[in-house]
Amino acid sequence: MPGGARRYFAGMHSPDVIVVGGGIVGAAAAERLARGGAKVTLLERGRIGGEASWAAAGLLTPVHPWRHPETLLRLEAESLRMWPEAAARVADAGFDLELRRTGLLALVESDDDARECDVRLAWLRGHGERCERLDAAALRAAEPVVAASVRGALHLPDLMQIRNHRAAPGFAEAARRAGAAVVEGCGVRALAESAGRVTGVVTDDGATLAAGEVVLAAGAWTGALLGASCPPALRTVPCRGQMVLYRTAPGTVRHMILSSGDYLVPRSDGRVLAGSTVEWVGFDAATTAPGIAGIRAAAARMVPSLAGADVEMSWAGLRPGSPDELPSIGRVRPGLVAATGHFRSGIMLAPVTAELVADIVEGRGAAEIARPFDPLR
Ligand SMILES: Cc1cc2nc3c(=O)[nH]c(=O)nc-3n(C[C@H](O)[C@H](O)[C@H](O)COP(=O)(O)OP(=O)(O)OC[C@H]3O[C@@H](n4cnc5c(N)ncnc54)[C@H](O)[C@@H]3O)c2cc1C
């Protein structure tokens, strides 16, 4: 931060709330709290939305919902309900998230897939999800570029996506317009505490900024920031995900496409994202030759024309994993609220997380839907 945190904060009145971490989770929480009338300061050590929230694919659906516990599915459903309004507020702040209902095709490529497809179909219908089974001809009509060897697909027409790289900057701008201070290049190195209460933060250059509440939304870095006093659920673990971005003619790929753990996400401008790896390799956000080769092979298996398409770029990001793969949203101790550990679903879960953080900071207490995600569980 030019001039350092000390100079920036000199003469500033203490905010009601400091949010640490300007990914989608912190930015959405800052926006919600500022909209509710709190005096909010959002501190980001790098640039807003520069980590996992930038690196993600923007699917507003779990990759494998049938693997999620019911408690998490309820949280996801609530967030999906909130997304259209959240995207409209972000659009008012000048960031078009291109929220689109492109639907998803889960490909059936083998006998195992065909058997699993029946189970998934029953599960999805049981959860009120619109879905249908497509045979090979219907799949080809819906998505002509899919490989000829694919036998069919499960079609989920209601699933949405967003241009996630615009989301954290968009929420931060909406927060700023609602009166929040948004500070980039300002890392927090410790919490300030007095008599068992968190009273603010100490920035990387030694400045102390006091606040009534601190919201910790530092993604994969949350556990490291809490150090020895970290409750088990908040011991965040980075999980690397690599991505490849293709450039194609708009409309080449129409749906999000899923094949086992691999997926394609088409943007309206013709770009197609392909992902992703799930790697537990510490804080290493570098791409690897085998990782990128694996993603490209899977992409070409799903849509053969991608083998010859231009690759615009590839990257990796660090998902905030947690020991039980569930997010933590709630009070940690007096003056400290956590919103982290969203692992593979933080883009989807940002609006509901912001709302649940506001419940606690504004004194309504943890909503029933948030209880399974208590940081002290
Ligand atoms: C390849 C990939 C694909 C994904 N695809 C999807 C998807 O399709 N859908 C979905 O819902 N999710 C997806 N995810 C997961 C999603 O990206 C994350 O769950 C989400 O971005 C987490 O948001 P966050 O704000 O908690 O973390 P981050 O975006 O990582 O933000 C945390 C921020 O805190 C800052 N910070 C850390 N420490 C400090 C400190 N001490 N002081 C100040 N600031 C600090 C960091 O600089 C960072 O900007 C994907 C992730 C990856 C990597």
Side-chain angles (χ1 to χ4, degrees), residues 120-133:
R120 289 177 188 180
L121 194 67
W123 187 95
L124 288 161
R125 288 190 175 147
H127 284 77
E129 190 76 58
R130 272 206 309 146
C131 57
E132 57 181 339
R133 200 171 174 155

Side-chain angles (χ1 to χ4, degrees), residues 1 3-10 43 185-192 200-210:
M1 186 173 58
R6 275 179 197 282
R7 228 170 75 190
Y8 183 88
F9 294 126
L43 301 179
C186 181
V188 166
R189 76 165 182 228
L191 300 171
V201 299
V202 182
T203 61
D204 278 344
D205 69 353
T208 299
L209 184 62

Side-chain angles (χ1 to χ4, degrees), residues 59-142:
L59 292 128
L60 297 187
T61 172
V63 178
H64 302 290
W66 35 86
R67 293 183 193 165
H68 286 196
E70 290 294 328
T71 50
L72 186 55
L73 289 166
R74 281 183 62 208
L75 200 66
E76 290 163 356
E78 188 57 14
S79 210
L80 290 176
R81 196 185 59 70
M82 293 175 173
W83 251 116
E85 270 185 32
R89 286 197 306 278
V90 170
D92 287 344
F95 290 77
D96 180 2
L97 300 188
E98 295 181 30
L99 184 143
R100 292 189 304 141
R101 237 170 253 278
T102 44
L104 180 137
L105 297 167
L107 303 184
V108 175
E109 295 162 282
S110 65
D111 290 343
D112 281 352
D113 286 351
R115 272 190 296 276
E116 214 185 315
C117 187
D118 293 332
V119 176
R120 289 177 188 180
L121 194 67
W123 187 95
L124 288 161
R125 288 190 175 147
H127 284 77
E129 190 76 58
R130 272 206 309 146
C131 57
E132 57 181 339
R133 200 171 174 155
L134 304 183
D135 63 14
L139 170 61
R140 225 70 66 208

Side-chain angles (χ1 to χ4, degrees), residues 42 55 71 123 142 158 176 206 236 242 266 282 288 314 323 345 359 363 369:
L42 173 60
T71 50
W123 187 95
D158 294 331
R176 202 187 57 74
T236 45
Q242 304 188 41
T288 63
S314 54
S345 305
D359 280 343
I369 195 177

